[in-house]
Amino acid sequence: MSALPCYRWRLAPEGLATRRQLRALGLRPGGQDPVAELQRPRRRRGPLVAYLYRIDRARPVRPMTPGRRAALAKAMAARRTCPNCRTDRGYCIPRSLGMCVPCSDNPVSTAA
């Protein structure tokens, strides 16, 4: 059991928000610790838990720098490039396949 106060789904007090809610407001937690938990019950499993942060202590999201933008573009290009045929497929290569869909459907041409 957690030492944080626990609120049920949609019953959190004003002034608290999850990370996604903060991001939608253009904010980030900014190093603060969570002040409460939000629990969403589920039927056959344990509840989903989200941490709540104070909105008044949140900081603005850092602006995207040109270096960060270039690094993200390079990382996304690597995720779209098939390791077998070395082509940019325009979609992220499924990790379950490890290669693009045409290469996994036609294993004969991958032996080259």
Side-chain angles (χ1 to χ4, degrees), residues 26-49:
L27 301 172
R28 61 185 169 98
Q32 66 173 309
D33 291 328
V35 295
E37 279 185 358
L38 182 70
Q39 290 191 354
R40 180 178 177 207
R42 296 190 291 181
R43 287 188 178 192
R44 294 188 180 106
R45 294 181 284 184
L48 289 174
V49 176

Side-chain angles (χ1 to χ4, degrees), residues 3-86:
L4 298 174
C6 186
Y7 299 102
R8 294 198 37 108
W9 185 250
R10 299 182 188 254
L11 296 177
E14 293 292 323
L16 299 181
T18 63
R19 282 181 177 268
R20 285 189 179 196
Q21 291 169 337
L22 287 176
R23 187 62 180 205
L25 296 171
L27 301 172
R28 61 185 169 98
Q32 66 173 309
D33 291 328
V35 295
E37 279 185 358
L38 182 70
Q39 290 191 354
R40 180 178 177 207
R42 296 190 291 181
R43 287 188 178 192
R44 294 188 180 106
R45 294 181 284 184
L48 289 174
V49 176
Y51 293 109
L52 296 171
Y53 300 90
R54 289 180 44 181
I55 295 175
D56 60 345
R57 294 182 60 195
R59 295 184 180 163
V61 175
R62 294 183 188 122
M64 183 68 73
T65 62
R68 186 181 292 167
R69 189 178 308 276
L72 287 174
K74 187 175 177 181
M76 289 306 294
R79 289 184 65 193
R80 290 190 313 263
T81 304
C82 176
N84 259 0
C85 60
R86 303 273 189 230

